[in-house]
């Protein structure tokens, strides 16, 4: 009988390793960078002082107030690292793909955000060995460069080396893939909701003016 596309194979394991790398070392290195730039108490003061500078939801505000960077996801980390102003933006500017040869801190922060977005929209449930090796190389180099900025530590590089070859139970593969897809879907849903609210406002405002 032919293998179901939902069966655990080497290719689905490759994708799960990518998901674990993004949701693990990639997020954690951004958390360490944010810690280097500003402490949780200072970040709360920053948010209170400039409430309009950071466009975040009430839930995200509560996460910030709790002062635990381990609860920050990539979107929240990226938003603060981008807007605090302490990290110079890369040559192509924040929010755009960095030059492949740009090794600046902001370029690598941008790459991690792009990893999340790219794999969050990934429609296949598997990844060939050759594609895996290329993507893993990009992820590893990005984390390596950011750890270089943090200091002499290789904690996250070591974690990636372990993730690349560690044994993965078939039952653990799909949850990592689903989690990565779910994170991106939540971001997409929130963005779509904001767009819908803006459209409703545009519809209501002219009607209100006409009523007056």
């Amino acid at each position: 009988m032919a293998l179901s596309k939902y069966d655990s194979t080497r290719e689905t394991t490759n994708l799960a390793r990518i998901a674990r790398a993004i949701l693990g070392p990639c997020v954690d290195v951004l958390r360490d960078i944010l810690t280097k730039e500003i402490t949780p108490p200072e970040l709360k003061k920053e948010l209170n002082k400039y409430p309009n500078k950071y466009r975040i939801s009430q839930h995200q505000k509560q996460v910030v107030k709790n002062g635990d960077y381990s609860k920050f996801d990539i979107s929240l980390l990226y938003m603060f690292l981008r807007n605090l102003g302490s990290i110079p933006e890369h040559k192509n500017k924040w929010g755009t793909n960095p030059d492949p040869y740009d090794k600046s801190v902001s370029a690598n922060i941008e790459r991690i955000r792009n990893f999340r977005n790219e794999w969050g929209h990934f429609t296949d449930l598997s990844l060939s060995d050759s594609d895996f090796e290329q993507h893993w190389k990009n992820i590893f180099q990005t984390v390596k460069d950011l750890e270089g900025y943090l200091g002499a530590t290789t904690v996250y590089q070591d974690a990636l080396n372990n993730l690349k070859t560690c044994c993965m139970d078939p039952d653990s593969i799909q949850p990592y893939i689903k989690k990565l897809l779910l994170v991106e879907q939540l971001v997409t849903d929130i963005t779509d909701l904001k767009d819908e609210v803006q459209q409703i406002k545009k519809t209501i405002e002219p009607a209100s003016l006409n009523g007056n």
Side-chain angles (χ1 to χ4, degrees), residues 49-81:
K49 187 176 182 180
Y50 304 105
N52 297 325
K53 183 179 178 180
Y54 305 101
R55 300 178 62 183
I56 59 178
S57 67
Q58 289 300 317
H59 170 71
Q60 289 174 318
K61 287 180 181 179
Q62 188 57 52
V63 171
V64 174
K65 289 179 180 179
N66 289 340
D68 184 358
Y69 285 171
S70 70
K71 303 300 182 183
F72 284 30
D73 61 13
I74 289 180
S75 295
L76 196 56
L77 291 163
Y78 174 84
M79 190 275 298
F80 280 117
L81 290 170

